[in-house]
């Protein structure tokens, strides 16, 4: 992952030296695992606790092509969603995910400093999922797949060198486990970055 990240950060620099910018920030939100909770716990009458909050660091590079178009390549650190039984039986389900994102940003300037943003991204999402029923069943799997992301937001250019973006985005994680394990094998990452 480190080699891929270094290549992503370095490759656009030579091609668009004048419009290159670095991005660093955080993402907060949740990984929507409600359908999985319903399938595994609720449908079987097992009380459960869901911990689906996420906080992650984000770092990358962007290129302003013009005032209406930019490209970004970013790395988002790992986040985890967990569902556990609420009766102490040790039943637990976990989904960890991190991703490398390639995004196109459409910008609608509202003046010299403000712009509205639309974002469309391709995400290489690495997942690590596990499901445990003590003494009965154990499942553990890793996967990496391209996933779609969409977002809207706004930007503020504070100075010539410093700007701030606020983006609400959804990254779709589809088919991260086999349907024979979970029929509801999709999760949406909803985050503000």
């Amino acid at each position: 992952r480190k080699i891929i990240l270094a290549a992503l950060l370095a490759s656009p620099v030579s091609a668009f030296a004048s419009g290159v910018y670095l991005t660093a920030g955080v993402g907060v939100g949740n990984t929507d695992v409600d359908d999985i909770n319903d399938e595994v716990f609720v449908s079987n009458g097992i009380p459960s606790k869901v911990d689906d909050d996420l906080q992650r660091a984000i770092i990358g590079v962007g290129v302003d092509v013009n005032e209406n178009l930019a490209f970004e390549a970013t790395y988002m650190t790992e986040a985890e969603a967990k569902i556990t039984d609420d009766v102490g039986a040790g039943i637990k389900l976990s989904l960890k995910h991190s991703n490398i994102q390639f995004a196109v940003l459409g910008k609608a300037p509202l003046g010299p400093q403000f712009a509205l943003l639309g974002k469309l991204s391709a995400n290489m999402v690495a997942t690590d999922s596990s499901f445990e029923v003590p003494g009965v069943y154990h499942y553990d799997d890793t996967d990496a797949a391209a996933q779609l992301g969409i977002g809207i937001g706004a930007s503020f250019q504070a100075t010539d060198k410093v700007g701030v973006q606020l983006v609400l985005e959804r990254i779709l994680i589809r088919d991260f486990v086999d349907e024979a394990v979970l029929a509801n094998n999709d999760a949406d990452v909803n985050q503000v970055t």
Side-chain angles (χ1 to χ4, degrees):
R1 289 185 187 166
K2 291 178 183 176
I3 293 171
I4 293 171
L5 178 61
L8 291 175
L9 295 175
S11 61
V13 174
S14 61
F16 298 97
S18 63
V20 172
Y21 58 90
L22 297 176
T23 63
V26 296
V28 295
N30 76 318
T31 304
D32 184 358
V33 290
D34 290 342
D35 289 342
I36 298 166
N37 183 44
D38 289 346
E39 177 183 344
V40 176
F41 293 89
V42 175
S43 67
N44 291 303
I46 303 168
S48 62
K49 293 185 287 189
V50 178
D51 179 5
D52 60 358
D53 295 338
L54 69 83
Q55 299 87 30
R56 58 179 14 163
I58 300 171
I59 186 168
V61 66
V63 177
D64 279 323
V65 177
N66 57 43
E67 69 176 11
N68 300 111
L69 182 65
F71 297 100
E72 289 184 354
T74 55
Y75 172 72
M76 299 181 189
T77 59
E78 186 175 83
E80 182 178 15
K82 295 184 286 190
I83 309 170
T84 55
D85 72 84
D86 203 17
V87 293
I91 302 169
K92 58 185 174 183
L93 188 142
S94 171
L95 169 62
K96 297 177 184 177
H97 55 89
S98 62
N99 64 294
I100 296 171
Q101 182 180 80
F102 299 96
V104 176
L105 277 73
K107 300 180 180 183
L110 299 176
Q113 292 178 291
F114 292 98
L116 297 178
L117 304 174
K119 183 176 183 179
L120 181 64
S121 64
N123 299 271
M124 181 52 69
V125 180
T127 59
D128 183 2
S129 53
S130 63
F131 181 38
E132 178 80 31
V133 179
V136 177
Y137 183 76
H138 177 78
Y139 172 84
D140 195 4
D141 189 30
T142 58
D143 189 32
Q147 307 286 355
L148 178 67
I150 54 174
I152 58 170
S155 67
F156 173 70
Q157 194 65 37
T159 70
D160 288 344
K161 304 271 186 203
V162 178
V164 178
Q165 289 183 359
L166 180 67
V167 178
L168 172 62
E169 67 181 311
R170 172 172 281 181
I171 300 168
L172 310 174
I173 302 177
R174 298 291 180 253
D175 301 326
F176 66 90
V177 296
D178 191 310
E179 284 186 1
V181 176
L182 286 173
N184 293 308
N185 59 356
D186 299 336
D188 294 331
V189 177
N190 301 303
Q191 64 184 15
V192 176
T193 60

